[in-house]
Coordinates of all heavy atoms in Angstrom, one line a residue:
N36 N 11.8 5.5 18.4 CA 11.4 4.3 19.1 C 12.7 3.4 19.4 O 12.6 2.2 19.4 CB 10.5 3.5 18.2 CG 9.9 2.3 18.9 OD1 9.7 2.4 20.1 ND2 9.5 1.3 18.2
K38 N 14.2 3.0 22.2 CA 14.0 2.2 23.5 C 12.9 1.2 23.4 O 12.7 0.5 24.3 CB 13.8 3.2 24.6 CG 15.0 4.1 24.9 CD 14.7 5.0 26.0 CE 15.9 5.9 26.3 NZ 15.6 6.9 27.3
G39 N 12.1 1.3 22.4 CA 11.0 0.3 22.2 C 9.7 0.7 22.9 O 8.8 -0.1 23.1
S40 N 9.6 2.0 23.3 CA 8.4 2.4 24.0 C 7.2 2.6 23.1 O 6.1 2.7 23.6 CB 8.7 3.7 24.8 OG 9.1 4.7 23.9
Y41 N 7.4 2.7 21.8 CA 6.3 2.9 20.9 C 6.1 1.6 20.0 O 5.4 1.7 19.0 CB 6.6 4.1 19.9 CG 6.6 5.4 20.7 CD1 7.8 6.0 20.9 CD2 5.5 6.0 21.1 CE1 7.9 7.2 21.5 CE2 5.5 7.2 21.8 CZ 6.7 7.8 22.0 OH 6.7 9.0 22.6
S42 N 6.5 0.5 20.5 CA 6.4 -0.8 19.7 C 4.9 -1.2 19.6 O 4.6 -1.7 18.5 CB 7.1 -1.9 20.4 OG 8.5 -1.6 20.4
F43 N 4.1 -0.9 20.5 CA 2.7 -1.2 20.4 C 2.0 -0.4 19.3 O 1.1 -0.9 18.6 CB 1.9 -0.9 21.7 CG 1.8 0.5 22.1 CD1 0.7 1.3 21.7 CD2 2.9 1.2 22.7 CE1 0.6 2.6 22.1 CE2 2.8 2.5 23.0 CZ 1.7 3.2 22.7
L44 N 2.5 0.8 19.1 CA 2.0 1.6 18.0 C 2.4 1.1 16.6 O 1.6 1.1 15.7 CB 2.5 3.1 18.1 CG 1.9 4.1 17.3 CD1 0.4 4.2 17.5 CD2 2.5 5.5 17.6
L45 N 3.6 0.6 16.5 CA 4.1 0.0 15.3 C 3.3 -1.2 14.9 O 2.9 -1.5 13.7 CB 5.6 -0.4 15.4 CG 6.6 0.8 15.3 CD1 8.0 0.3 15.7 CD2 6.6 1.4 13.9
Q46 N 2.9 -2.0 15.9 CA 2.1 -3.2 15.6 C 0.7 -2.8 15.2 O 0.2 -3.4 14.3 CB 2.0 -4.1 16.9 CG 1.5 -5.4 16.7 CD 1.5 -6.3 18.0 OE1 1.6 -5.7 19.1 NE2 1.5 -7.6 17.8
R47 N 0.1 -1.8 15.8 CA -1.2 -1.3 15.3 C -1.2 -0.8 13.9 O -2.1 -1.0 13.1 CB -1.7 -0.3 16.3 CG -2.0 -0.7 17.6 CD -3.4 -1.1 17.8 NE -3.7 -1.4 19.2 CZ -4.7 -1.9 19.6 NH1 -5.7 -2.2 18.7 NH2 -4.9 -2.2 20.8
Q50 N -1.1 -3.5 11.3 CA -2.4 -4.2 11.1 C -3.2 -3.3 10.2 O -4.1 -3.8 9.5 CB -3.1 -4.4 12.4 CG -2.5 -5.5 13.2 CD -3.1 -5.6 14.6 OE1 -3.9 -4.7 15.0 NE2 -2.8 -6.6 15.3
R108 N 6.7 -12.2 11.8 CA 6.7 -11.6 13.1 C 5.3 -11.7 13.7 O 4.4 -11.0 13.3 CB 7.1 -10.2 13.1 CG 8.5 -10.0 12.7 CD 8.9 -8.5 12.8 NE 10.2 -8.3 12.3 CZ 10.8 -7.2 12.3 NH1 10.2 -6.1 12.8 NH2 12.1 -7.1 11.9
N109 N 5.2 -12.6 14.6 CA 4.0 -12.8 15.3 C 4.3 -12.5 16.8 O 4.0 -13.3 17.7 CB 3.4 -14.2 15.1 CG 1.9 -14.2 15.5 OD1 1.3 -13.2 15.8 ND2 1.3 -15.4 15.3
I110 N 4.9 -11.4 17.1 CA 5.3 -11.0 18.4 C 4.2 -10.4 19.2 O 3.6 -9.4 18.7 CB 6.6 -10.1 18.3 CG1 7.7 -10.8 17.5 CG2 7.0 -9.7 19.7 CD1 8.8 -9.9 17.2
K111 N 4.0 -10.8 20.4 CA 3.0 -10.2 21.2 C 3.7 -9.5 22.3 O 4.6 -10.0 23.0 CB 2.1 -11.2 21.8 CG 1.3 -12.0 20.8 CD 0.0 -12.3 21.2 CE -0.7 -12.9 20.0 NZ -2.1 -12.9 20.1
L112 N 3.4 -8.2 22.5 CA 4.0 -7.4 23.6 C 3.1 -7.4 24.8 O 1.9 -7.2 24.7 CB 4.2 -6.0 23.1 CG 5.1 -5.8 21.9 CD1 5.0 -4.4 21.4 CD2 6.5 -6.1 22.2
E113 N 3.7 -7.7 25.9 CA 3.0 -7.6 27.2 C 3.4 -6.4 27.9 O 4.5 -6.3 28.5 CB 3.3 -8.9 28.0 CG 2.7 -10.1 27.3 CD 3.0 -11.4 28.1 OE1 3.2 -11.3 29.3 OE2 2.9 -12.5 27.5
L114 N 2.5 -5.4 28.0 CA 2.9 -4.2 28.7 C 2.4 -4.2 30.1 O 1.3 -4.8 30.4 CB 2.2 -3.0 27.9 CG 2.6 -2.8 26.5 CD1 1.8 -1.7 25.8 CD2 4.1 -2.4 26.4
G115 N 3.1 -3.6 31.0 CA 2.7 -3.5 32.4 C 3.0 -4.8 33.2 O 2.6 -4.9 34.3
K116 N 3.6 -5.8 32.6 CA 3.9 -7.0 33.4 C 5.3 -6.9 34.0 O 6.3 -6.6 33.4 CB 3.9 -8.2 32.4 CG 4.0 -9.5 33.2 CD 3.9 -10.6 32.2 CE 4.0 -11.9 32.9 NZ 4.0 -13.1 32.0

Side-chain angles (χ1 to χ4, degrees):
N36 193 29
K38 294 181 181 178
S40 57
Y41 295 107
S42 294
F43 68 96
L44 191 58
L45 286 171
Q46 192 175 23
R47 295 267 188 190
Q50 290 174 351
R108 296 183 182 185
N109 199 2
I110 300 170
K111 299 217 177 199
L112 298 173
E113 294 182 19
L114 300 174
K116 187 176 180 181

